[in-house]
Amino acid sequence: MRSEQEVNQAIELYADMIRRICLLHLKNQTDTEDVLQEVFLKYILCSVVFENGEHEKAWLIRVTINACKDFKKSLFRHRTVPLDVLSEEVASVMPENLNILEAVLSLPPKYKDIIYLHYYEGYTAREIGTMLHKKENTVYSLLSRGRNLLKQKLEGDDDA
């Protein structure tokens, strides 16, 4: 079990990042807060000794993505939120580039995760591959396809 100081430091450093990842996956502020608490509870109870801050951050990202997937699969989850409601919730956390964020949110999960980790969190393809258990070249391919999908979506918005 982790000390109170370790937990407080992790919350201070990573809570916003975890909240954004949850919002990308769950599209709901309430569910996001539930999963955020679950992730930090797992952090408190885990006995993993982290090599460094990046290892800790990668572990939290992986746990967050898995917790979101588990939450979406659970029987408890049975409601959806319209995109305009999501836009308001996300705007309070990440007000910049809302059109781009909406386009990223509409991507399939395999592209959404990689685009988010690369562009919003600044991870390299090698680091993303390690976190998501994918080959580096697969990450490059998914980034390329995800960018193309985003380009199509954003160009479609400009023409409308």
Side-chain angles (χ1 to χ4, degrees), residues 6-31:
E6 285 179 297
V7 173
N8 288 338
Q9 184 179 9
I11 290 171
E12 186 177 313
L13 288 173
Y14 304 118
D16 289 338
M17 174 194 67
I18 292 171
R19 186 174 285 115
R20 288 189 305 263
I21 292 170
C22 290
L23 274 173
L24 285 171
H25 283 271
L26 303 175
K27 301 171 180 64
N28 180 304
Q29 185 69 35
T30 307
D31 295 342

mmCIF file of all heavy atoms in Angstrom, residues 6-31:
data_model
loop_
_atom_site.group_PDB
_atom_site.id
_atom_site.type_symbol
_atom_site.label_atom_id
_atom_site.label_comp_id
_atom_site.label_asym_id
_atom_site.label_seq_id
_atom_site.Cartn_x
_atom_site.Cartn_y
_atom_site.Cartn_z
ATOM 1 N N GLU A 6 2.737 9.804 -1.316
ATOM 2 C CA GLU A 6 2.843 9.285 -2.689
ATOM 3 C C GLU A 6 1.524 9.455 -3.435
ATOM 4 O O GLU A 6 1.505 9.866 -4.597
ATOM 5 C CB GLU A 6 3.201 7.800 -2.684
ATOM 6 C CG GLU A 6 4.628 7.474 -2.360
ATOM 7 C CD GLU A 6 4.858 5.976 -2.359
ATOM 8 O OE1 GLU A 6 4.246 5.281 -1.525
ATOM 9 O OE2 GLU A 6 5.635 5.515 -3.211
ATOM 10 N N VAL A 7 0.433 9.125 -2.759
ATOM 11 C CA VAL A 7 -0.890 9.206 -3.379
ATOM 12 C C VAL A 7 -1.231 10.647 -3.707
ATOM 13 O O VAL A 7 -1.680 10.960 -4.815
ATOM 14 C CB VAL A 7 -1.967 8.564 -2.475
ATOM 15 C CG1 VAL A 7 -3.348 8.798 -3.035
ATOM 16 C CG2 VAL A 7 -1.692 7.082 -2.298
ATOM 17 N N ASN A 8 -1.004 11.552 -2.770
ATOM 18 C CA ASN A 8 -1.304 12.974 -3.007
ATOM 19 C C ASN A 8 -0.473 13.526 -4.163
ATOM 20 O O ASN A 8 -0.979 14.296 -4.986
ATOM 21 C CB ASN A 8 -1.069 13.796 -1.745
ATOM 22 C CG ASN A 8 -2.127 13.546 -0.694
ATOM 23 O OD1 ASN A 8 -3.234 13.105 -1.002
ATOM 24 N ND2 ASN A 8 -1.790 13.796 0.555
ATOM 25 N N GLN A 9 0.785 13.127 -4.232
ATOM 26 C CA GLN A 9 1.652 13.580 -5.320
ATOM 27 C C GLN A 9 1.146 13.043 -6.668
ATOM 28 O O GLN A 9 1.097 13.775 -7.658
ATOM 29 C CB GLN A 9 3.086 13.141 -5.081
ATOM 30 C CG GLN A 9 4.046 13.653 -6.119
ATOM 31 C CD GLN A 9 5.481 13.216 -5.833
ATOM 32 O OE1 GLN A 9 5.742 12.409 -4.953
ATOM 33 N NE2 GLN A 9 6.410 13.764 -6.606
ATOM 34 N N ALA A 10 0.748 11.768 -6.713
ATOM 35 C CA ALA A 10 0.235 11.175 -7.951
ATOM 36 C C ALA A 10 -1.060 11.852 -8.377
ATOM 37 O O ALA A 10 -1.263 12.126 -9.568
ATOM 38 C CB ALA A 10 0.023 9.680 -7.766
ATOM 39 N N ILE A 11 -1.929 12.141 -7.429
ATOM 40 C CA ILE A 11 -3.186 12.817 -7.755
ATOM 41 C C ILE A 11 -2.901 14.190 -8.339
ATOM 42 O O ILE A 11 -3.480 14.587 -9.351
ATOM 43 C CB ILE A 11 -4.104 12.903 -6.514
ATOM 44 C CG1 ILE A 11 -4.621 11.511 -6.167
ATOM 45 C CG2 ILE A 11 -5.251 13.871 -6.752
ATOM 46 C CD1 ILE A 11 -5.355 11.430 -4.842
ATOM 47 N N GLU A 12 -1.976 14.907 -7.714
ATOM 48 C CA GLU A 12 -1.623 16.243 -8.194
ATOM 49 C C GLU A 12 -1.045 16.194 -9.606
ATOM 50 O O GLU A 12 -1.370 17.019 -10.458
ATOM 51 C CB GLU A 12 -0.627 16.880 -7.231
ATOM 52 C CG GLU A 12 -0.311 18.325 -7.550
ATOM 53 C CD GLU A 12 0.633 18.926 -6.522
ATOM 54 O OE1 GLU A 12 0.392 18.748 -5.317
ATOM 55 O OE2 GLU A 12 1.617 19.566 -6.944
ATOM 56 N N LEU A 13 -0.189 15.204 -9.870
ATOM 57 C CA LEU A 13 0.483 15.114 -11.166
ATOM 58 C C LEU A 13 -0.404 14.555 -12.273
ATOM 59 O O LEU A 13 -0.322 14.995 -13.418
ATOM 60 C CB LEU A 13 1.734 14.232 -11.045
ATOM 61 C CG LEU A 13 2.913 14.807 -10.290
ATOM 62 C CD1 LEU A 13 3.997 13.752 -10.111
ATOM 63 C CD2 LEU A 13 3.468 16.006 -11.034
ATOM 64 N N TYR A 14 -1.233 13.554 -11.958
ATOM 65 C CA TYR A 14 -1.864 12.769 -13.015
ATOM 66 C C TYR A 14 -3.393 12.842 -13.078
ATOM 67 O O TYR A 14 -3.983 12.318 -14.016
ATOM 68 C CB TYR A 14 -1.454 11.298 -12.877
ATOM 69 C CG TYR A 14 0.035 11.089 -12.894
ATOM 70 C CD1 TYR A 14 0.693 10.544 -11.811
ATOM 71 C CD2 TYR A 14 0.799 11.463 -13.995
ATOM 72 C CE1 TYR A 14 2.069 10.360 -11.817
ATOM 73 C CE2 TYR A 14 2.171 11.285 -14.016
ATOM 74 C CZ TYR A 14 2.802 10.727 -12.921
ATOM 75 O OH TYR A 14 4.155 10.556 -12.948
ATOM 76 N N ALA A 15 -4.049 13.480 -12.122
ATOM 77 C CA ALA A 15 -5.516 13.473 -12.096
ATOM 78 C C ALA A 15 -6.114 14.095 -13.357
ATOM 79 O O ALA A 15 -7.061 13.536 -13.933
ATOM 80 C CB ALA A 15 -6.037 14.181 -10.851
ATOM 81 N N ASP A 16 -5.577 15.220 -13.812
ATOM 82 C CA ASP A 16 -6.128 15.864 -15.016
ATOM 83 C C ASP A 16 -5.960 14.985 -16.253
ATOM 84 O O ASP A 16 -6.880 14.866 -17.062
ATOM 85 C CB ASP A 16 -5.471 17.223 -15.260
ATOM 86 C CG ASP A 16 -5.903 18.268 -14.248
ATOM 87 O OD1 ASP A 16 -6.983 18.099 -13.635
ATOM 88 O OD2 ASP A 16 -5.170 19.252 -14.064
ATOM 89 N N MET A 17 -4.800 14.369 -16.390
ATOM 90 C CA MET A 17 -4.551 13.488 -17.533
ATOM 91 C C MET A 17 -5.522 12.299 -17.506
ATOM 92 O O MET A 17 -6.132 11.970 -18.522
ATOM 93 C CB MET A 17 -3.113 12.976 -17.505
ATOM 94 C CG MET A 17 -2.811 11.950 -18.582
ATOM 95 S SD MET A 17 -1.272 11.057 -18.303
ATOM 96 C CE MET A 17 -1.646 10.121 -16.827
ATOM 97 N N ILE A 18 -5.686 11.685 -16.354
ATOM 98 C CA ILE A 18 -6.585 10.535 -16.239
ATOM 99 C C ILE A 18 -8.019 10.957 -16.507
ATOM 100 O O ILE A 18 -8.765 10.254 -17.197
ATOM 101 C CB ILE A 18 -6.429 9.878 -14.851
ATOM 102 C CG1 ILE A 18 -5.045 9.235 -14.754
ATOM 103 C CG2 ILE A 18 -7.528 8.863 -14.594
ATOM 104 C CD1 ILE A 18 -4.682 8.748 -13.373
ATOM 105 N N ARG A 19 -8.407 12.118 -16.016
ATOM 106 C CA ARG A 19 -9.765 12.627 -16.258
ATOM 107 C C ARG A 19 -10.000 12.817 -17.764
ATOM 108 O O ARG A 19 -11.050 12.456 -18.290
ATOM 109 C CB ARG A 19 -9.959 13.939 -15.503
ATOM 110 C CG ARG A 19 -11.378 14.472 -15.566
ATOM 111 C CD ARG A 19 -11.565 15.700 -14.682
ATOM 112 N NE ARG A 19 -11.635 15.291 -13.283
ATOM 113 C CZ ARG A 19 -10.738 15.619 -12.349
ATOM 114 N NH1 ARG A 19 -9.697 16.359 -12.653
ATOM 115 N NH2 ARG A 19 -10.884 15.229 -11.109
ATOM 116 N N ARG A 20 -9.010 13.361 -18.474
ATOM 117 C CA ARG A 20 -9.168 13.568 -19.924
ATOM 118 C C ARG A 20 -9.276 12.234 -20.663
ATOM 119 O O ARG A 20 -10.097 12.081 -21.572
ATOM 120 C CB ARG A 20 -7.997 14.391 -20.467
ATOM 121 C CG ARG A 20 -8.038 15.854 -20.052
ATOM 122 C CD ARG A 20 -6.998 16.686 -20.791
ATOM 123 N NE ARG A 20 -5.644 16.188 -20.654
ATOM 124 C CZ ARG A 20 -4.751 16.640 -19.786
ATOM 125 N NH1 ARG A 20 -5.069 17.600 -18.945
ATOM 126 N NH2 ARG A 20 -3.534 16.138 -19.748
ATOM 127 N N ILE A 21 -8.461 11.265 -20.287
ATOM 128 C CA ILE A 21 -8.529 9.947 -20.924
ATOM 129 C C ILE A 21 -9.909 9.336 -20.691
ATOM 130 O O ILE A 21 -10.524 8.795 -21.616
ATOM 131 C CB ILE A 21 -7.417 9.015 -20.395
ATOM 132 C CG1 ILE A 21 -6.048 9.507 -20.859
ATOM 133 C CG2 ILE A 21 -7.647 7.581 -20.866
ATOM 134 C CD1 ILE A 21 -4.875 8.800 -20.200
ATOM 135 N N CYS A 22 -10.400 9.432 -19.465
ATOM 136 C CA CYS A 22 -11.723 8.891 -19.150
ATOM 137 C C CYS A 22 -12.816 9.595 -19.956
ATOM 138 O O CYS A 22 -13.732 8.937 -20.469
ATOM 139 C CB CYS A 22 -12.022 9.011 -17.657
ATOM 140 S SG CYS A 22 -11.051 7.920 -16.619
ATOM 141 N N LEU A 23 -12.718 10.911 -20.073
ATOM 142 C CA LEU A 23 -13.717 11.649 -20.863
ATOM 143 C C LEU A 23 -13.694 11.217 -22.320
ATOM 144 O O LEU A 23 -14.739 11.111 -22.964
ATOM 145 C CB LEU A 23 -13.489 13.156 -20.761
ATOM 146 C CG LEU A 23 -14.133 13.846 -19.581
ATOM 147 C CD1 LEU A 23 -13.682 15.297 -19.500
ATOM 148 C CD2 LEU A 23 -15.633 13.755 -19.634
ATOM 149 N N LEU A 24 -12.511 10.969 -22.850
ATOM 150 C CA LEU A 24 -12.411 10.504 -24.236
ATOM 151 C C LEU A 24 -13.132 9.174 -24.423
ATOM 152 O O LEU A 24 -13.763 8.944 -25.440
ATOM 153 C CB LEU A 24 -10.948 10.352 -24.644
ATOM 154 C CG LEU A 24 -10.190 11.636 -24.912
ATOM 155 C CD1 LEU A 24 -8.708 11.343 -25.094
ATOM 156 C CD2 LEU A 24 -10.737 12.361 -26.116
ATOM 157 N N HIS A 25 -13.026 8.314 -23.435
ATOM 158 C CA HIS A 25 -13.616 6.982 -23.549
ATOM 159 C C HIS A 25 -15.089 6.941 -23.136
ATOM 160 O O HIS A 25 -15.898 6.285 -23.790
ATOM 161 C CB HIS A 25 -12.832 5.979 -22.695
ATOM 162 C CG HIS A 25 -11.552 5.563 -23.315
ATOM 163 N ND1 HIS A 25 -11.443 4.504 -24.162
ATOM 164 C CD2 HIS A 25 -10.305 6.092 -23.225
ATOM 165 C CE1 HIS A 25 -10.208 4.386 -24.566
ATOM 166 N NE2 HIS A 25 -9.489 5.345 -24.018
ATOM 167 N N LEU A 26 -15.418 7.613 -22.045
ATOM 168 C CA LEU A 26 -16.736 7.443 -21.445
ATOM 169 C C LEU A 26 -17.742 8.523 -21.848
ATOM 170 O O LEU A 26 -18.943 8.304 -21.737
ATOM 171 C CB LEU A 26 -16.607 7.396 -19.916
ATOM 172 C CG LEU A 26 -15.684 6.303 -19.391
ATOM 173 C CD1 LEU A 26 -15.527 6.424 -17.888
ATOM 174 C CD2 LEU A 26 -16.191 4.928 -19.783
ATOM 175 N N LYS A 27 -17.246 9.677 -22.267
ATOM 176 C CA LYS A 27 -18.095 10.760 -22.752
ATOM 177 C C LYS A 27 -19.130 11.218 -21.721
ATOM 178 O O LYS A 27 -20.233 11.597 -22.067
ATOM 179 C CB LYS A 27 -18.792 10.346 -24.051
ATOM 180 C CG LYS A 27 -17.830 9.987 -25.152
ATOM 181 C CD LYS A 27 -18.548 9.390 -26.339
ATOM 182 C CE LYS A 27 -17.623 9.024 -27.443
ATOM 183 N NZ LYS A 27 -16.668 8.001 -27.146
ATOM 184 N N ASN A 28 -18.768 11.138 -20.437
ATOM 185 C CA ASN A 28 -19.697 11.491 -19.382
ATOM 186 C C ASN A 28 -18.900 11.876 -18.142
ATOM 187 O O ASN A 28 -18.070 11.097 -17.671
ATOM 188 C CB ASN A 28 -20.601 10.282 -19.103
ATOM 189 C CG ASN A 28 -21.611 10.542 -18.028
ATOM 190 O OD1 ASN A 28 -21.264 10.908 -16.920
ATOM 191 N ND2 ASN A 28 -22.861 10.333 -18.370
ATOM 192 N N GLN A 29 -19.180 13.042 -17.597
ATOM 193 C CA GLN A 29 -18.432 13.552 -16.444
ATOM 194 C C GLN A 29 -18.620 12.673 -15.208
ATOM 195 O O GLN A 29 -17.656 12.393 -14.490
ATOM 196 C CB GLN A 29 -18.868 14.992 -16.143
ATOM 197 C CG GLN A 29 -18.065 15.658 -15.047
ATOM 198 C CD GLN A 29 -16.629 15.936 -15.444
ATOM 199 O OE1 GLN A 29 -16.345 16.250 -16.586
ATOM 200 N NE2 GLN A 29 -15.722 15.825 -14.502
ATOM 201 N N THR A 30 -19.834 12.219 -14.969
ATOM 202 C CA THR A 30 -20.107 11.407 -13.779
ATOM 203 C C THR A 30 -19.372 10.078 -13.834
ATOM 204 O O THR A 30 -18.730 9.671 -12.858
ATOM 205 C CB THR A 30 -21.620 11.163 -13.640
ATOM 206 O OG1 THR A 30 -22.291 12.425 -13.677
ATOM 207 C CG2 THR A 30 -21.953 10.465 -12.353
ATOM 208 N N ASP A 31 -19.461 9.398 -14.972
ATOM 209 C CA ASP A 31 -18.758 8.124 -15.131
ATOM 210 C C ASP A 31 -17.247 8.331 -15.058
ATOM 211 O O ASP A 31 -16.521 7.499 -14.513
ATOM 212 C CB ASP A 31 -19.133 7.465 -16.461
ATOM 213 C CG ASP A 31 -20.595 7.073 -16.520
ATOM 214 O OD1 ASP A 31 -21.236 6.987 -15.450
ATOM 215 O OD2 ASP A 31 -21.112 6.866 -17.643
#
